[in-house]
Amino acid sequence: MVKMSLARGVSTTLLGLVFWVGSPVWAQDISARLMACAACHGADGNSQLPNIPSLAGQPKVFVENQLVIIREGLREIPAMKGLLDGVSDAEITAMAVHFAKLPARNAPPPGDPALLAQGKALAEGMRCGICHLPDYRGREQMPRLAAQREDYLQYSMLQFKNNQATGRDTIMAASLYGVSDNDIKALAHFLARVAP
């Protein structure tokens, strides 16, 4: 465990610092930022708006990475322009922890059986579960696909396919190379209905 010395020779552990960062005082510091997130991503992290992703239940590292990339201007999202200006790394981590702890909820209408079967076969054949895990819950820097908004999944995959996902994982662009728009629709239809 790393130790840090203070001016009077008193030492504290990094673990103690972690507990301090997670304290209610810290939570109050980011509450205004989380309210801004809620306007689009939902008060509980589950988006109700078209083409806006749900953040609830996303892996912490994934959310952290995306917030940093957006803050630094490497991924441009016009609706988020300026919202992360001046946000510290510590605040970004606290926000990511917050969203990772929220339960993912999605209640899409019943799926089309043929489209679900096609999407499931594609997800298995394309080996989506290798990176996103077999239940598609995501891990580390890989996002949760299970129970994500269908429209957002389709929109995002089309961005990757069409090389419009600037500042995002280039592996996905390669993974979706040559995949038809109809197959992307089937993938999104299936993944949106996988239990979180």
Side-chain angles (χ1 to χ4, degrees), residues 74-134:
L74 300 172
R75 180 178 177 196
E76 193 168 313
I77 300 174
M80 291 187 67
K81 193 86 169 159
L83 287 177
L84 294 171
D85 290 354
V87 177
S88 70
D89 290 347
E91 288 175 301
I92 281 178
T93 296
M95 292 165 69
V97 167
H98 168 78
F99 287 115
K101 289 181 179 177
L102 295 175
R105 294 186 180 97
N106 186 16
D112 173 273
L115 211 51
L116 286 170
Q118 179 186 357
K120 181 177 182 182
L122 285 163
E124 290 171 357
M126 293 171 65
R127 297 185 169 99
C128 301
I130 289 175
C131 293
H132 297 277
L133 296 183

Side-chain angles (χ1 to χ4, degrees), residues 72-196:
E72 300 303 318
L74 300 172
R75 180 178 177 196
E76 193 168 313
I77 300 174
M80 291 187 67
K81 193 86 169 159
L83 287 177
L84 294 171
D85 290 354
V87 177
S88 70
D89 290 347
E91 288 175 301
I92 281 178
T93 296
M95 292 165 69
V97 167
H98 168 78
F99 287 115
K101 289 181 179 177
L102 295 175
R105 294 186 180 97
N106 186 16
D112 173 273
L115 211 51
L116 286 170
Q118 179 186 357
K120 181 177 182 182
L122 285 163
E124 290 171 357
M126 293 171 65
R127 297 185 169 99
C128 301
I130 289 175
C131 293
H132 297 277
L133 296 183
D135 60 1
Y136 310 108
R137 74 174 182 270
R139 62 186 170 99
E140 293 92 31
Q141 75 274 18
M142 306 299 174
R144 172 184 56 76
L145 304 177
Q148 181 59 272
R149 288 185 60 88
E150 181 175 355
D151 56 356
Y152 179 74
L153 287 168
Q154 186 171 351
Y155 167 78
S156 187
M157 286 189 279
L158 286 171
Q159 280 190 314
F160 280 115
K161 176 191 169 188
N162 297 323
N163 290 316
Q164 297 169 335
T166 307
R168 295 167 72 191
D169 193 343
T170 55
I171 292 171
M172 278 303 302
S175 298
L176 291 167
Y177 180 79
V179 177
S180 74
D181 290 0
N182 283 337
D183 283 348
I184 285 175
K185 179 179 178 180
L187 279 165
H189 192 75
F190 165 69
L191 292 167
R193 288 163 179 80
V194 174

